[in-house]
Amino acid sequence: MSRRHEVGGLANRLKVFLKALARYVAFPLRIIHRLFHALLQLYSRRCQFLPVQRDGRVERVTGSFQPSLLPSKTVQLQVPPPSSGSAANSFVSLLPVHTQALSTSTNLGQQLHPAPSVHSVFRPFTPSQVMRYKKTPQIKREVKLENIPAGKRDYSDKEDSGTWRACVHPEGALYFHDTVRGIYTDSDMRDGERQSSMTLCIEKLLAQLTHQCGLQLCSGNIELVVELTRNRNKDKVYRYYLVDHPNRLLFWLDEISTKWIFDGVLGVEKWSHIKYAIQHQYWQHCEMYPSDRLPGAQLLKELKEVVVHASAEIITTDLSLSPFDGDELSKILDLIDRFGDNVQGAHYTCVIARFMRYFTRAQFFNFCGLREARLDADQSLFVKEKKSKFLVALSWAINVALFDAPRSHMEELRRVWVDRCINSPRWKNFNTKLSSEWSGITMYSTVMIAVDVSFLAVPSVNSQDTSSVTVITSYISLFCIVGSLVVSLFLTRQNQLHGQEFADTAVIFLTRVTGSVFGTKSLAMVHGLPYAMLLWGMVYFVIAFSYQVFTSTPIITLATTGSACGVVALFTLWLVSAARDFHILPLFQALLEGFKDKCRKLHRTRP
């Protein structure tokens, strides 16, 4: 009976526990359910980007709404006229024209090829949006060819189709080039249906180009890049851009959003400034689709001049705006000297275009050619925003609590992360310094852990009550030092993952970690945590050791050790204040002079 009674009591207690658990867990579960429901609603409303399918792969393209570059103005692009003449003296206005309104070009395309079964849409895009480097794996791990036929000597694939010639990029990518009209595409033109659809699209674009701008591709100065995609409704989407080689620009027949052109740079409004962003995209096109029509010798001469000037700037000043450091510029110069006289070819073109792209992007980021241009790496171009007094006071309190460590890291971050634009050479040096600092802190933390554990093992300390000041402060010191060790190891690991990345990836990383209310200060606080926690561990150890010494020693020993401790503390505070550019002697002199002035005034006022 007693065993049955115990089992029944245990079952009753289990029921009570489950009821209480259900009552306390139901409310958090309802909150989580509502949160996920709200997130799903927000996600369903996102229509700025739509997933599309390109050659069997899923990618993202801009939605149907395209904000204008600058709505109040009309783009004036310098392009060659359809007839003979100088390209420098002709201007063609590129107005936004929708393809649905061009009935003449549509009829022309329908006469040449049968109309597609679904509705097609033309949409402008940039070379940076080409999905060449984001392809999904499609090769299966299986043996597809077991034997090579006897006497096999021709290993070429029949990939050419009509006027389309299959080309292999120096990096290995396959793309197709219409050598007659100067058209490029990454879409597979070996498929008959896709080729027919692309041909219809190209004919419509060419008719629109002739009708709107009076230009033709046969001249060789204008090129077209087209990609075939599909949106969520299975409608065909043709993304395109046009290339103007004489002016080293891209242009479009429709309005295009500046999101993929400005690359997050704010305050852009001058057309002379926007030109550098367009040229950056132009050089990326030349790198992705190299052409023998480019003047290789002239481009090589221009690149050499830019690199020589950047090298001289790196040597003479620490505030250079070059996207490369001194060693990298020396390697680039050595590489240019090896080119020789004949620089025609896809490999040479890719090398020149890649370097020119980096320098042109730096010009755009630094507002080159404007009165507000950035002339040194530490110069900020934007007006400082007023911050909340509460945030300022809170950041000051945190800075004091962390022994002024965030301020020093903040100064280094400001030299690297200026106006949310990263300086690549400084970024590498900054991460090298961080790795050295955290490695040293890891070593000091390991030593301090051994010191704390050894101090707790002393018989006079070990025999004390656990509620004594010495034991409590020793425990706190040990926790702080272990925290410093763990945080420094974690940050060192993160620095190895993200510290040596290129400027593009570093910008994404810094934008993500500085997106809080404190901005860049939050990252500076995180970087200063290992140093601050190590100092707090030392402070608590000094408190524990001092309490143990000054509460269990004779008066003579207390006076001697107290005097020595006071002298050491005085010199330590003096050194710390001098390192922080806070000098006590001038402060005392100012107070003394103020006291003397008050005494003189009182003496003069006496009768």
Side-chain angles (χ1 to χ4, degrees), residues 307 311 325-337:
V307 174
S311 301
D325 57 20
D327 295 336
E328 292 172 342
L329 290 173
S330 298
K331 294 178 181 179
I332 294 173
L333 278 176
D334 182 62
L335 186 64
I336 293 175
D337 293 337

Side-chain angles (χ1 to χ4, degrees), residues 33-46:
H33 177 265
R34 292 178 181 177
L35 178 61
F36 276 101
H37 182 68
L39 290 176
L40 288 175
Q41 287 182 346
L42 291 176
Y43 179 78
S44 62
R45 294 174 184 174
R46 291 182 59 189

Side-chain angles (χ1 to χ4, degrees), residues 68-123:
S68 60
L69 192 65
L70 283 177
S72 60
K73 299 181 181 180
T74 303
V75 182
Q76 297 290 336
L77 181 62
Q78 192 174 353
V79 295
S83 60
S84 61
S86 176
N89 298 324
S90 61
F91 294 88
V92 178
S93 176
L94 299 184
L95 299 175
V97 178
H98 299 282
T99 57
Q100 290 82 354
L102 295 177
S103 59
T104 57
S105 60
T106 305
N107 295 334
L108 177 61
Q110 291 176 352
Q111 294 175 2
L112 295 176
H113 296 277
S117 58
V118 294
H119 181 63
S120 60
V121 178
F122 295 103
R123 188 165 296 144

Side-chain angles (χ1 to χ4, degrees), residues 6 21 57 63 104 120 150 180 286 315 334 365 378 448 469 516 519:
E6 290 178 359
L21 182 63
R57 299 183 300 274
T104 57
S120 60
V180 177
C286 295
I315 295 172
D334 182 62
F365 285 167
D378 294 336
M448 282 301 302
V469 176
S516 63

Side-chain angles (χ1 to χ4, degrees), residues 301-427:
K301 181 176 180 297
E302 294 179 11
L303 176 61
K304 190 171 184 179
E305 292 176 355
V306 173
V307 174
V308 168
H309 178 268
S311 301
E313 195 176 33
I314 285 285
I315 295 172
T316 56
T317 180
D318 188 35
L319 304 175
S320 174
L321 295 171
S322 172
F324 303 99
D325 57 20
D327 295 336
E328 292 172 342
L329 290 173
S330 298
K331 294 178 181 179
I332 294 173
L333 278 176
D334 182 62
L335 186 64
I336 293 175
D337 293 337
R338 296 176 182 271
F339 276 15
D341 298 331
N342 187 13
V343 291
Q344 297 295 332
H347 294 78
Y348 291 114
T349 303
C350 287
V351 172
I352 296 174
R354 175 169 295 188
F355 289 137
M356 293 296 289
R357 177 166 64 91
Y358 279 103
F359 285 107
T360 306
R361 184 178 60 175
Q363 290 177 319
F364 174 68
F365 285 167
N366 297 319
F367 288 71
C368 180
L370 303 182
R371 294 182 58 186
E372 304 84 1
R374 182 183 290 109
L375 302 180
D376 58 70
D378 294 336
Q379 182 181 356
S380 178
L381 304 181
F382 297 97
V383 180
K384 292 185 178 180
E385 299 178 357
K386 293 183 179 180
K387 299 181 180 179
S388 173
K389 294 182 179 180
F390 173 74
L391 292 178
V392 173
L394 183 60
S395 61
W396 178 84
I398 295 175
N399 184 66
V400 173
L402 298 182
F403 294 97
D404 204 30
R407 185 183 64 85
S408 58
H409 285 284
M410 186 65 188
E411 293 177 355
E412 293 293 332
L413 277 173
R414 285 174 179 170
R415 299 183 70 250
V416 176
W417 187 236
V418 181
D419 292 338
R420 305 185 73 83
C421 297
I422 197 168
N423 188 301
S424 183
R426 289 188 174 186
W427 169 253

